[in-house]
Amino acid sequence: MTHAALNQLVFLVGGRGTRLGSLTAENPKPLLTVGGLPFLDYLIDNAARYGFTNILLLAGYLGKEFESRYQAMGRERGLTIDCLIEPEPAGTGGALLHAADRLADKFILCNGDSFFDINLLDLGLIDAGEDWLAKIALRQVEDGSRYGGIARQGERVVAFVERGDSGPALINGGIYLMRRQILDLIGPLPCSLERDVFPQLATQGRLFGRDYKAFFIDIGIPSDFAAAQDLVPAHVLRPAAFLDRDGVLNHDYGYVHRPEDFHWKDGAISAIKALNDAGFLVFVVSNQAGVARGYYDEEQVRLLHRWMSNVLALHGAHIDRYYFCPHHPDGVLPDYAIDCGCRKPQPGMIEQAFREWSIDRRSSLLIGDKPWDIAAAETAGIRGYLWEGDDLSEFVQTTVICQTTVI
Ligand SMILES: [Mg+2]
């Protein structure tokens, strides 16, 4: 694949948090406890599920607190989480410039004190021509006065103000897809992206924005910080969509294990994206008895899944995790010739996901093309849809998403 994968997510965590008064005397705002966990943990968990493995924290106020917590967490989770501490506050633009030699050509920048639960891969789909420097996630709110406000023509932002008007408004949601060349517009310091850089970009026609109806909370003021204690943990208990692979996502020719033999079924990619956009966790649960039979090995299955993820990312879609069962009682390889609990109709893969993720079982579901898929769903206590149709996207839109309330 020629395109460089987007895998860096940068968090702005340097602010003083003065509006929260004594709450931030000993803890920086993104580390305040929300529902029993530091707020930033939720944001990093979320970044990881989209495949962002390179996470950079731009810290300032009490910056050492981030270093000690997240470097260890990164190692445990297979992520690189680095912390850069600014010697003195120089605005959001200054924080970015301080990180200049660490930034990828394209990266996502997020505020560390708000959670806007958009599909993080969708911003890349905004059609912005060649010259764009930033694409912003926007949100409609009841009162725009705490946030940056914008005016648009289509998805091109034509005006950007640091503080919007009171009353209903479309606001800057604090998530940006950026190109590294934006650094050329930063300075002199201190420099605020919202006050000094985005208005210039809007004038130049290099700033774009798309609005999202996703969950949004900003913990910057005491009342919203209090509300977050219940809202955030409830929100991250997500519905899950378990998708069988062969026969649902791809044409089932029997023991498919190479990209060149993998042909997506119509609507499969857009169905996955629709589930991502609607706030579902999306898992593949696939019997791969070909491993036990010696036709291919586990690494080949993983390689195929990585290839699938690369294709999906180009379309703004992702699978949160692939679960597969390599066993079969009649296998020729002794290590795999077992009667296991993960091979469907057993529910082992679904149960493993329930142990590993925060999932709302009542609103979760499985889509499969064989009776054993549905049996696994039933044993796991989730709804199973037997689907042998032609367009998975249409089925997901009309049957699955409209019957499940998310957000
Ligand atoms: Mg199948």
Side-chain angles (χ1 to χ4, degrees), residues 136-160:
I136 305 184
L138 306 169
R139 194 180 195 281
Q140 187 72 35
V141 295
E142 297 294 318
D143 179 7
S145 60
R146 275 170 61 196
Y147 307 94
I150 68 116
R152 280 187 306 174
Q153 284 171 359
E155 292 188 318
R156 187 187 295 271
V157 175
V158 294
F160 188 98

Side-chain angles (χ1 to χ4, degrees), residues 126 128 131-136 138 149-153 155-161 176-178 182 193-194 197-209:
I126 297 175
D131 280 343
W132 68 275
L133 288 182
K135 300 178 181 181
I136 305 184
L138 306 169
I150 68 116
R152 280 187 306 174
Q153 284 171 359
E155 292 188 318
R156 187 187 295 271
V157 175
V158 294
F160 188 98
V161 290
Y176 320 98
L177 175 62
M178 284 185 173
I182 201 169
L193 292 171
E194 298 86 339
V197 177
F198 292 151
Q200 267 189 75
L201 289 186
T203 308
Q204 296 171 2
R206 305 176 83 184
L207 185 63
F208 290 77

Side-chain angles (χ1 to χ4, degrees), residues 244 246-247 252 369-370 373:
D244 174 44
D246 301 325
D252 186 1
D369 68 329
K370 293 288 192 296
D373 296 317

Side-chain angles (χ1 to χ4, degrees), residues 63-374:
K64 290 275 179 210
E65 304 290 323
F66 295 98
E67 253 176 4
S68 51
R69 178 172 182 82
Y70 291 105
Q71 283 176 347
M73 179 192 280
R75 279 193 298 275
E76 280 167 24
R77 309 255 319 254
L79 309 170
T80 303
I81 307 180
D82 285 335
C83 181
L84 289 183
I85 303 178
E86 265 188 298
E88 56 189 71
T92 47
L96 208 55
L97 195 60
H98 183 248
D101 61 358
R102 302 295 302 278
L103 296 174
D105 289 342
K106 275 186 207 168
F107 57 92
I108 289 204
L109 180 70
C110 286
N111 288 343
D113 58 358
S114 58
F115 185 7
F116 188 14
D117 191 21
I118 68 165
N119 174 353
L120 290 171
L121 303 181
D122 188 73
L123 285 171
L125 303 186
I126 297 175
D127 183 7
E130 296 297 316
D131 280 343
W132 68 275
L133 288 182
K135 300 178 181 181
I136 305 184
L138 306 169
R139 194 180 195 281
Q140 187 72 35
V141 295
E142 297 294 318
D143 179 7
S145 60
R146 275 170 61 196
Y147 307 94
I150 68 116
R152 280 187 306 174
Q153 284 171 359
E155 292 188 318
R156 187 187 295 271
V157 175
V158 294
F160 188 98
V161 290
E162 189 190 10
R163 286 274 178 261
D165 297 326
S166 57
L170 196 58
I171 61 149
N172 167 15
I175 300 180
Y176 320 98
L177 175 62
M178 284 185 173
R179 274 184 160 155
R180 195 174 180 283
Q181 295 99 298
I182 201 169
L183 297 177
D184 298 342
L185 299 178
I186 297 175
L189 301 182
C191 171
S192 154
L193 292 171
E194 298 86 339
R195 189 181 61 236
D196 304 318
V197 177
F198 292 151
Q200 267 189 75
L201 289 186
T203 308
Q204 296 171 2
R206 305 176 83 184
L207 185 63
F208 290 77
R210 178 170 287 182
D211 42 330
Y212 297 93
K213 291 186 176 70
F215 175 83
F216 177 77
I217 194 155
D218 170 348
I219 61 164
I221 59 172
S223 58
D224 285 352
F225 175 62
Q229 300 300 326
D230 292 330
L231 292 176
V232 172
H235 176 71
V236 297
L237 187 69
R238 298 172 193 270
F242 294 90
L243 307 178
D244 174 44
R245 198 191 78 186
D246 301 325
V248 172
L249 299 181
N250 56 288
H251 291 281
D252 186 1
Y253 308 127
Y255 303 107
V256 170
H257 62 282
R258 300 184 305 180
E260 54 268 41
D261 302 324
F262 187 100
H263 297 123
W264 296 94
K265 292 190 78 174
D266 285 346
I269 294 175
S270 48
I272 293 168
K273 182 170 187 295
L275 290 163
N276 297 148
D277 290 347
F280 284 79
L281 294 166
V282 183
F283 302 110
V284 164
V285 284
S286 180
N287 284 354
Q288 290 298 325
V291 176
R293 296 185 190 281
Y295 300 156
Y296 46 86
D297 62 19
E298 289 195 51
E299 187 53 24
Q300 281 174 286
V301 180
R302 292 194 188 93
L303 281 171
L304 179 64
H305 292 165
R306 276 201 285 281
W307 173 86
M308 287 170 64
S309 286
N310 288 337
V311 174
L312 289 169
L314 296 175
H315 295 86
H318 83 281
I319 297 290
D320 287 284
R321 190 159 297 167
Y322 298 83
Y323 294 96
F324 65 92
C325 169
H327 310 116
H328 193 284
D330 302 334
V332 297
L333 301 178
D335 286 352
Y336 294 103
I338 58 170
D339 204 359
C340 65
C342 56
R343 179 173 169 80
K344 294 174 284 187
Q346 299 300 319
M349 291 188 280
I350 301 170
E351 293 297 347
Q352 186 180 348
F354 277 113
R355 288 192 298 275
E356 293 178 346
W357 298 78
S358 167
I359 298 175
D360 179 15
R361 197 179 289 248
R362 291 164 309 158
S363 50
S364 296
L365 61 109
L366 176 145
I367 303 173
D369 68 329
K370 293 288 192 296
W372 49 82
D373 296 317
I374 307 312

